[in-house]
Amino acid sequence: MGKRGRATLRAQWLGHLLRDLREANGLTLKDAAEYLQRDLSMISRFETGVYPIRRGDVMALIDLYGVEEARQREILLHLATEVWQKGWWDKYSGQVDGSLIDLVWLESRAEYIGAYSIFPVTSLLQIRAYATALIRAADPDAPVESVERWVELRMSRQRILDGSVQLDVVLDEAALRRSVGGSEVMNAQIRHILTAAERPNVDIRVLPFTVGAHASPDGGFRLIKMADPFPKVAHVEGPGGSLYVESAEAERLAARYDRLRESALDPDDSIGFITALGKELA
């Protein structure tokens, strides 16, 4: 979970938008560099997101690129502000992978999060003891202090549920049955899921084993929808790290998620299922 140098997702988005505008106007990196009176290599780093561009430079470039429509200018300048804006999560940036910081930033801006979890229970619904047991199992040699910081970040992320974000979760039965931290922890985790389901902005559905083959046999994923200027994003996490996809690929995963929801039990039956499982495991 250590830090590595990388471009942030928001810096990459802004850079891609500026590159598209430059190319649409038939301008080269050299043209943009001469206009801003900067090195050509710096313009390239702006466009790849390796070095976040300042708002003043964005204003100059969108003038150069002939962006006159007020809404488009607002979107670009808003994103330029987001690139440099600090959040509570930045204090963890030296202790966790940068892709996780991207995820926390996305969650903080989300209006809707859809999560399909085969295992474990989605992180936004985990209790502290469950999260601690997961992290220790994945990295048994991690220092105690590091584990505590990682768990603290995970718990802090859950504060978004106190706001207006809509959390929609499809939990595979496997996520509920695989014991993490022992029976006491699992019982507490199941009770927490039932409590979370009482929130008006949380929808939980169970995908039982009896469904058999389903729409996502190759793993879980998240969908994150934000207000303009941000696109819909799908997040897929695996042993090799995190992957963020947009556009057609995100829409493909959104369609997959819809099929998973259709196959899952409805919210009332899901609560009944989880309640019965809790009694079974008690």
Side-chain angles (χ1 to χ4, degrees), residues 3 6 19 28 54 56 99 109-110 130 141 160 165 188 203 213 228 266 274:
K3 181 182 178 182
R6 62 186 298 280
R19 183 196 62 200
T28 65
R54 295 283 185 180
S99 63
R109 296 293 183 266
Y130 183 98
D141 298 323
I160 64 169
V165 65
D203 185 287
D228 286 340
D266 66 32
I274 297 171

Side-chain angles (χ1 to χ4, degrees), residues 116 172-173 207-217 260 263:
Y116 170 52
D172 196 283
E173 185 176 341
L207 188 69
F209 290 151
T210 54
V211 167
H214 55 74
S216 190
L260 287 167
S263 299

